[in-house]
Amino acid sequence: MGLVARNKAALLGGAAMALLVGLHAANAQEAQTNEQDKKGRVTILQRLIFGAGAEKVAIDTPQSVSVINQEDIDQKQAETIGELVKTIPGVNVSGSDRTLGQTFNIRGIGGPESGGEEGRIIVNVDGATKFYEQYRMGGLFTDTELYKRVEVLRGPASSTLYGSGALGGVINFTTKDASDFLADGQKAALRLKTAFDSNSEGALGSAILATRLNDNFEVLAAGNYRYANAYTSGDGTEIPGSEIGAPSGLLKGTYRFGDNNEQALRASYMHWQTDEDDQYYNQTGIDVPPGFGTVDRKVTDKTAIISYENPASDNPWLDLKVQASFSDTVNDQSDATLASLNRTFGYKTYQFNIQNTFDYEGDNFVNHLTVGSQSNYQERTTLKSLSGTHPQGERTGTGAFVQNEFIWDERLTLIAGARLDWQRLEPTDIAAATAKDHTAFSPKIAAHYKLNDTFAVFGSIAHTERVPTIDEVFDTAQIGRPDLKKELSNNYEAGVAVSLYDLAQQGDALQLKTTGFYNDITDLITDNGRLANPRFTNIGHARIYGAEVELGYDSDYVFGNAAYSYVIGEDLLNDTALNTVAPHEFAFTVGGRMPDRHLSFGWTSRFVAGQDRVSELPNMRLPTPSFSTHDIFLTWKPQDGVLKGFETNFRVDNIFNEQYREFLSGTAGKGRTFKLTLAKQLDW
C-alpha cells in the first residue's frame, strides 16, 4: 500500500472511529433535548446584516446580501476562501483554484486575473481594505481559520459606504474575538483544533487562547499552520503548484469602558505567509503563454488595525466609529525561468475611516442618518527591475458619504445615499509620466415595503463611477496617450421577499428572496493585452443582467437552503459575450438534526450549466461543459458530560469524483476529498 493510500485509509479509519465513539458517548448520555439549540436558530435569510447601514436581517435588506457564519465555516472545512463562497448566488472565484491564484467575481464583474479589478469589488478585513494586483495572482492572501463571519453585498449600491466604483459589490470579513470563546464568568479558554484532507494529504493545526484579564479587557491570540501537497482532480491528474505551507496568526485586544462598558477600543494584528518553490508563473499549472516558466514565491501579508466605537445608547445623536489601519502585501520572487521576473512586488495601504449615525424616533417612524469619510494612501512598488508592466506609483484618496434610512410603521424603509471621492495618482520613477487627479460620484436610492407579514417588495437605483488605477494610468504603453475616462455604471434592482412560519411544525420558518438586476456600464476600461499600445482604452460598453434566488428553511429537526443565479453579460461594442460571466448555477443543502444527540448532518449539491458564451475579445476563455458536485457532512458537538467542548466535523466533497473545471478557473477542480476536523475547548 502506497503512502497516499495509507494516509487515506488512516483518515477514513480515524473518521469512522471518531463517529463510533461519538455515537456511543451520545447514547450513554441522558437523552434530552438541548433547549439552547432550539432557541435563536434562523434561516440564512434571517441572519443579521451589519454592512448595509442600520442593522437588519437579510430578507429585509433592499439589496442582495448573504452571510457566512462560524457554523458554515466549521462545516465546510474550507482550505481557501473560494470554498466558502461558492454556494452564494452570483459569487464566484476567478483564477486558478489555489491559495496564490484566487480573486473574486460578483455578477460577472471580476476577470480571470485581478489586474484592472481594483475598486470594482471591494474586499475588507475588519474594515481595512485589502487589495493586491499582479498577473495571475489573487487579491487576498489569508486563511479561513482566522474568520468567524463573511458578509457579501452584491451590486453597486454598496458604493455609498465603501467606495465609488464597487460595480460588483463588497465582501466584508470579520475576524474572531476573545468574547466568541468566553462565557460569562470565565477567565480564559483554550481551543485546540486539527484538520485532515485526504486529497492533498493536507493538515491544519490551530490554537486559540482567549483570556479576560478583568471586566474591561480581553485578548485573543490565534496561531495556525496549514499544509497541503498538490491536489488531484477527478480523473486523478495532479495539479502542480497547488501545494501550500502557510503559517498565520491573529493577535486582538478589546478594552471596554464607559457606561455599561459600551465604548470599545480594539487593536489587532494579523499575519499570513507562505514560501513556495517552482510555481508556474501564470498559476495555471502549464507554461502558457510559453516561456514564462516557473518561479519561487514568498508572499507575506500583514494587517494592523486600531479602532474605537461608541454606540452611546442613551444619546441618539452619537453612534461613532473611528478606525485607522495599515495593510502590507509583499511578493518576493526569485529563481525564475526568466531572470527579468526576479522581482519584489508590493502594496502598502494606510487608511483612516470615521463615521457617525444620528438617530431620531417619532410616533410611528425611525430615522438613521449616517455621515462619514474614508481616506487612504497607497504605495505600489516593484523592486529589482524596471517597472515594465507593473508600474510603481502612489495613490492618495479621500471620500465623504451620507446615507439616510427612514423606516415608517416598521413596514416602509427608504434609503438614500450619496458619496463623493477624490483621488490623486503620482508616478514613481517613470519618465514622462505626470500626476493625475480624478473625482467620482455615487448616488443611490432604495426602498423596501412589507405588504404584510408574508410578502414584501423592494427595489433600488444606483449610479457609481470607477476611476482609473495606477496600473491603468502608468503602464508604459499608456505614457503620452489620452487620459482614460471614468467607468460609469447605472444599476437597477427589484425583488420580492416571502416569509412563512409554522408550516410543518410550530416554530419553523421558510424565507424566499428573489432579485432581478440590470447593470449598464459605459466607458469600460478594457485591457487590450500586454503587447498592445496603448494597453488600456475606454472602448467598452457592457450590459449585465440576471436574477438571483435564495431560499432558507429551518426547524428543530430539518434545515435546508437553496440558491440559484442566472447572469448574462454582453459586450455591446463588439456584440459578443463577456468572458467574465459564470454560467447559470443551482445549489442546495438539505440536512437534519438530532438535538438530543447533538448531531447535525446533510447533503450539498451544485449543478452548474455549461458555458459556451465566450469571445476572443480581449482575452479568450475556453467553453466549459456542465457539471455537478455533491458533498455530505456530519457534525457532532456534545453540550454536556465529560465530552462537553469537544467537536467533530466529518465531510466528503465531490463524493462521485466528478472531473470538472469552473468557467472562471484555469485549472480543474478537486476530486473526491475526505475531510475530518477535531476540536476541543478547555475553559477556566
Side-chain angles (χ1 to χ4, degrees):
M1 182 182 294
L3 176 61
V4 174
R6 285 199 302 270
N7 285 348
K8 288 183 178 179
L11 176 62
L12 293 175
M17 182 64 70
L19 179 58
L20 290 174
V21 171
L23 290 174
H24 176 75
N27 284 319
Q29 296 172 2
E30 180 180 356
Q32 60 181 8
T33 300
N34 187 340
E35 292 300 324
Q36 185 177 357
D37 283 348
K38 279 189 172 184
K39 298 176 181 179
R41 286 203 306 269
V42 297
T43 73
I44 58 172
L45 288 169
Q46 290 175 311
R47 294 175 179 175
L48 288 174
I49 301 297
F50 303 114
E55 179 182 303
K56 60 180 67 66
V57 297
I59 199 166
D60 293 334
T61 305
Q63 181 182 357
S64 288
V65 294
S66 298
V67 174
I68 299 169
N69 62 17
Q70 185 65 67
E71 183 180 357
D72 300 326
I73 296 172
D74 292 339
Q75 180 197 98
K76 293 182 179 181
Q77 303 179 63
E79 291 183 358
T80 65
I81 298 296
E83 294 179 57
L84 287 181
V85 303
K86 65 182 180 181
T87 56
I88 296 179
V91 180
N92 297 88
V93 168
S94 182
S96 56
D97 189 13
R98 62 193 72 188
T99 304
L100 296 182
Q102 292 190 334
T103 189
F104 300 104
N105 179 289
I106 301 179
R107 292 180 175 176
I109 302 295
E113 306 166 18
S114 60
E117 296 304 324
E118 184 173 6
R120 289 178 180 156
I121 296 176
I122 295 176
V123 178
N124 297 312
V125 173
D126 288 342
T129 301
K130 302 293 292 184
F131 176 78
Y132 182 87
E133 185 280 318
Q134 187 188 336
Y135 177 70
R136 295 287 185 178
M137 293 284 286
L140 179 66
F141 304 95
T142 191
D143 194 283
T144 57
E145 192 62 24
L146 298 169
Y147 304 105
K148 64 178 180 180
R149 178 182 174 90
V150 183
E151 191 171 288
V152 181
L153 313 173
R154 299 187 286 280
S158 302
S159 292
T160 302
L161 298 178
Y162 296 99
S164 299
L167 278 64
V170 174
I171 304 178
N172 292 325
F173 293 85
T174 304
T175 58
K176 292 178 168 69
D177 287 283
S179 56
D180 299 326
F181 304 92
L182 297 171
D184 291 340
Q186 290 180 343
K187 294 296 183 181
L190 175 64
R191 180 177 172 83
L192 303 174
K193 179 177 179 179
T194 184
F196 306 93
D197 176 338
S198 69
N199 189 306
S200 59
E201 299 183 280
L204 166 71
S206 173
I208 297 174
L209 176 63
T211 179
R212 184 177 287 125
L213 301 179
N214 52 47
D215 292 338
N216 304 91
F217 187 43
E218 62 184 33
V219 177
L220 177 139
N224 314 297
Y225 184 78
R226 189 179 296 277
Y227 170 83
N229 291 317
Y231 71 80
T232 58
S233 61
D235 63 3
T237 301
E238 183 178 283
I239 306 302
S242 59
E243 63 275 1
I244 187 70
S248 62
L250 171 67
L251 182 63
K252 192 174 188 180
T254 302
Y255 178 71
R256 300 183 183 276
F257 59 99
D259 294 340
N260 300 316
N261 276 348
E262 282 189 329
Q263 299 182 59
L265 181 65
R266 291 187 177 89
S268 67
Y269 174 74
M270 186 167 61
H271 189 101
W272 182 93
Q273 183 174 300
T274 187
D275 191 353
E276 304 300 327
D277 296 337
D278 299 324
Q279 296 277 307
Y280 277 97
Y281 190 79
N282 58 15
Q283 289 284 295
T284 61
I286 55 177
D287 190 18
V288 176
F292 278 80
T294 61
V295 65
D296 296 346
R297 284 179 166 137
K298 180 179 180 180
V299 180
T300 305
D301 185 270
K302 307 173 185 177
T303 307
I305 302 171
I306 184 169
S307 65
Y308 168 74
E309 296 179 9
N310 185 3
S313 58
D314 59 345
N315 183 354
W317 300 104
L318 181 64
D319 186 354
L320 180 65
K321 297 179 181 179
V322 183
Q323 182 186 85
S325 64
F326 169 71
S327 173
D328 183 18
T329 306
V330 176
N331 173 25
D332 189 2
Q333 295 186 170
S334 61
D335 199 23
T337 301
L338 295 178
S340 61
L341 300 180
N342 290 328
R343 293 190 261 173
T344 299
F345 303 88
Y347 278 86
K348 288 184 180 179
T349 302
Y350 303 81
Q351 184 173 312
F352 179 77
N353 304 336
I354 182 171
Q355 70 177 55
N356 187 69
T357 300
F358 304 88
D359 297 327
Y360 181 75
E361 295 187 23
D363 292 337
N364 63 344
F365 72 89
V366 177
N367 194 83
H368 308 284
L369 175 64
T370 301
V371 296
S373 70
Q374 294 176 323
S375 299
N376 61 78
Y377 169 76
Q378 182 185 86
E379 295 178 329
R380 187 181 201 255
T381 58
T382 308
L383 306 179
K384 302 181 183 177
S385 173
L386 298 177
S387 58
T389 58
H390 190 96
Q392 301 183 90
E394 300 174 356
R395 183 191 69 195
T396 304
T398 189
F401 60 87
V402 57
Q403 177 170 294
N404 191 76
E405 183 170 341
F406 175 81
I407 305 171
W408 174 76
D409 198 27
E410 297 184 348
R411 298 180 63 186
L412 175 65
T413 300
L414 296 174
I415 301 176
R419 182 187 184 100
L420 180 65
D421 280 296
W422 169 83
Q423 170 185 278
R424 182 176 181 85
L425 303 180
E426 297 185 83
T428 303
D429 298 330
I430 302 177
T434 58
K436 304 292 183 182
D437 294 314
H438 305 96
T439 58
F441 181 59
S442 297
K444 74 172 180 186
I445 186 168
H448 184 282
Y449 183 70
K450 293 183 179 180
L451 301 172
N452 49 45
D453 291 338
T454 302
F455 297 99
V457 294
F458 60 92
S460 67
I461 301 174
H463 171 83
T464 195
E465 301 173 353
R466 175 184 173 270
V467 297
T469 66
I470 292 175
D471 186 51
E472 295 163 342
V473 172
F474 297 135
D475 188 277
T476 53
Q478 297 297 123
I479 307 303
R481 299 289 183 173
D483 290 345
L484 292 169
K485 302 176 184 178
K486 298 177 291 187
E487 295 179 341
L488 308 177
S489 168
N490 292 311
N491 187 74
Y492 310 88
E493 296 191 18
V496 178
V498 180
S499 297
L500 301 170
Y501 302 93
D502 299 328
L503 296 172
Q505 66 178 83
Q506 185 177 4
D508 68 354
L510 174 70
Q511 273 82 37
L512 172 70
K513 187 174 183 179
T514 302
T515 306
F517 60 90
Y518 181 95
N519 193 357
D520 186 85
I521 307 171
T522 57
D523 287 330
L524 192 66
I525 298 176
T526 302
D527 186 347
N528 300 304
R530 62 188 181 87
L531 300 180
N533 195 354
R535 178 172 180 174
F536 299 97
T537 50
N538 287 103
I539 61 173
H541 183 192
R543 176 172 59 198
I544 302 176
Y545 60 93
E548 297 162 351
V549 181
E550 284 187 281
L551 180 146
Y553 175 79
D554 195 80
S555 68
D556 289 341
Y557 301 102
V558 178
F559 63 92
N561 55 71
Y564 174 71
S565 61
Y566 176 93
V567 184
I568 297 293
E570 299 173 344
D571 181 341
L572 299 180
L573 180 68
N574 298 297
D575 194 25
T576 59
L578 289 179
N579 285 333
T580 57
V581 177
H584 318 323
E585 178 178 332
F586 173 68
F588 74 86
T589 295
V590 60
R593 299 187 183 95
M594 299 173 64
D596 56 335
R597 298 292 186 263
H598 318 296
L599 286 169
S600 62
F601 49 88
W603 178 290
T604 297
S605 293
R606 289 179 68 218
F607 299 89
V608 181
Q611 180 63 292
D612 56 5
R613 293 175 53 83
V614 297
S615 168
E616 295 184 4
L617 299 172
N619 296 303
M620 177 63 180
R621 294 201 65 78
L622 297 176
T624 52
S626 61
F627 67 87
S628 64
T629 61
H630 308 273
D631 317 322
I632 58 173
F633 59 88
L634 183 146
T635 298
W636 179 48
K637 296 181 180 180
Q639 299 298 312
D640 46 31
V642 296
L643 293 178
K644 182 179 180 181
F646 181 78
E647 179 180 335
T648 301
N649 280 281
F650 177 69
R651 185 179 184 92
V652 185
D653 288 342
N654 195 3
I655 58 177
F656 298 122
N657 212 23
E658 178 88 349
Q659 174 71 18
Y660 70 96
R661 180 176 66 85
E662 305 278 359
F663 176 69
L664 296 176
S665 175
T667 54
K670 274 189 176 183
R672 184 186 300 114
T673 306
F674 295 89
K675 297 180 178 180
L676 175 65
T677 297
L678 304 173
K680 172 64 177 176
Q681 180 165 323
L682 306 172
D683 306 309
W684 65 91

